[in-house]
Amino acid sequence: MILGYVFFAVLIAALAAGGVYAWPAWLRLYARTPKALRRGSSRLTIPALACCAVAAALLLALLTAAAHRHPGPFQLDAAASAMAAWLQLKPFPAVFAAITHMANGSTLLAVAVVGVLLIAALARQVVLWPFMMTVLGSQITTWLLKYWVARPRPDLSEVAPLLMVVSPSFPSAHAAGSLSVYGFLGLLALWELSSARVRVMAGYWLLVFLALIGASRVYVGVHFATDVLGGWLTGVVWLCLGTAAQVYARRKPEGREDGPPEEQIVECE
């Protein structure tokens, strides 16, 4: 039990340290980035996002084929589930249950509707169709793969005996949906920020939030680790495609990029 609390203390400390060092790490990466990439030209951004989408799609295809051939849990799944069972220490079950509810279907639908209304209210209609493409593409892909792979859920008799889960396990709809909805809207919000430091810090905590949603599915015992990995890959594919479509849609007729506000970046002392 003590080791479990030590694990959570180290994890929380590591996440906090990541937040502290995210900006200095970004400055070092920025200093080594070619100037053409720093400007974020759509001529480079769109092909880069397309390459990321293709790479994620290939990894998803390999993982899906493996899950279809072997519907049961892999060794990684068994190890992750065993660790999650070992870490069932108060108050963390309630914390992770609250986190996982933030990616329920009803919650994501409400967030998506609010996102559409905000996009319309802020006169950003040009990004509506990339957002809808990202969300719908992610959901359609997820549910097609679920019923093609037809992987059974983990045994819920011990962790959640009263929970009724009827859909197949692979891939995780929570992981895919959170990336497509929170990820797209989060990137859209980062796009509007004027401070590079704030963009980096907000981006770091957005990644932490998305990672915690995926991890919560294993922790509460309703998914295997590779289900979450499959959901993340599905979300990445459509998030990259949707972001590339957004960059393309934002291009101005005269060729200038309608990108995030520029800020002079200097080295930290």
Side-chain angles (χ1 to χ4, degrees):
M1 180 180 294
I2 295 178
L3 288 178
Y5 284 109
V6 170
F7 172 84
F8 278 115
V10 172
L11 176 62
I12 294 171
L15 293 177
V20 172
Y21 290 106
W23 175 244
W26 173 259
L27 284 178
R28 297 188 188 96
L29 178 63
Y30 186 87
R32 292 171 173 79
T33 303
K35 291 183 179 180
L37 290 177
R38 293 182 190 180
R39 288 192 295 266
S41 171
S42 62
R43 295 180 180 178
L44 297 173
T45 304
I46 293 176
L49 288 168
C51 289
C52 289
V54 170
L58 290 174
L59 291 174
L60 176 62
L62 292 174
L63 183 59
T64 301
H68 185 262
R69 189 178 302 112
H70 179 71
F74 300 111
Q75 290 184 349
L76 172 64
D77 297 322
S81 297
M83 186 173 185
W86 175 62
L87 291 172
Q88 297 294 318
L89 305 169
K90 293 182 178 181
F92 297 105
V95 172
F96 278 96
I99 292 173
T100 205
H101 285 315
M102 298 184 75
N104 285 352
S106 57
T107 305
L108 290 179
L109 178 60
V111 172
V113 170
V114 171
V116 168
L117 294 176
L118 286 176
I119 290 171
L122 296 174
R124 296 292 191 271
Q125 289 89 342
V126 71
V127 301
L128 273 177
W129 71 265
F131 178 52
M132 298 304 298
M133 180 188 78
T134 302
V135 175
L136 294 178
S138 174
Q139 288 300 304
I140 291 171
T141 303
T142 296
W143 289 97
L144 286 176
L145 291 180
K146 273 183 177 290
Y147 285 99
W148 184 68
V149 174
R151 171 187 268 185
R153 292 274 184 164
D155 183 10
L156 304 178
S157 60
E158 294 185 4
V159 294
L162 300 180
L163 183 63
M164 296 295 295
V165 180
V166 296
S167 64
S169 192
F170 180 93
S172 167
H174 280 63
S178 61
L179 265 175
S180 62
V181 176
Y182 291 121
F184 190 98
L185 293 176
L187 289 177
L188 190 61
L190 294 179
W191 194 288
E192 302 296 331
L193 295 175
S194 60
S195 169
R197 180 189 291 269
V198 174
R199 286 200 299 269
V200 170
M201 299 301 296
Y204 170 79
W205 288 111
L206 174 63
L207 288 175
V208 170
F209 173 65
L210 295 174
L212 287 175
I213 288 177
S216 72
R217 302 304 288 164
V218 179
Y219 187 85
V220 301
V222 295
H223 273 296
F224 298 113
T226 48
D227 299 336
V228 173
L229 179 57
W232 279 338
L233 289 172
T234 303
V236 166
V237 169
W238 285 101
L239 182 59
C240 288
L241 293 176
T243 304
Q246 177 193 164
V247 172
Y248 179 81
R250 282 175 175 266
R251 294 193 310 174
K252 292 184 176 180
E254 59 268 26
R256 292 183 288 110
E257 305 297 328
D258 184 16
E262 293 293 331
E263 178 186 86
Q264 183 68 26
I265 299 180
V266 296
E267 297 290 341
C268 292
E269 297 182 356

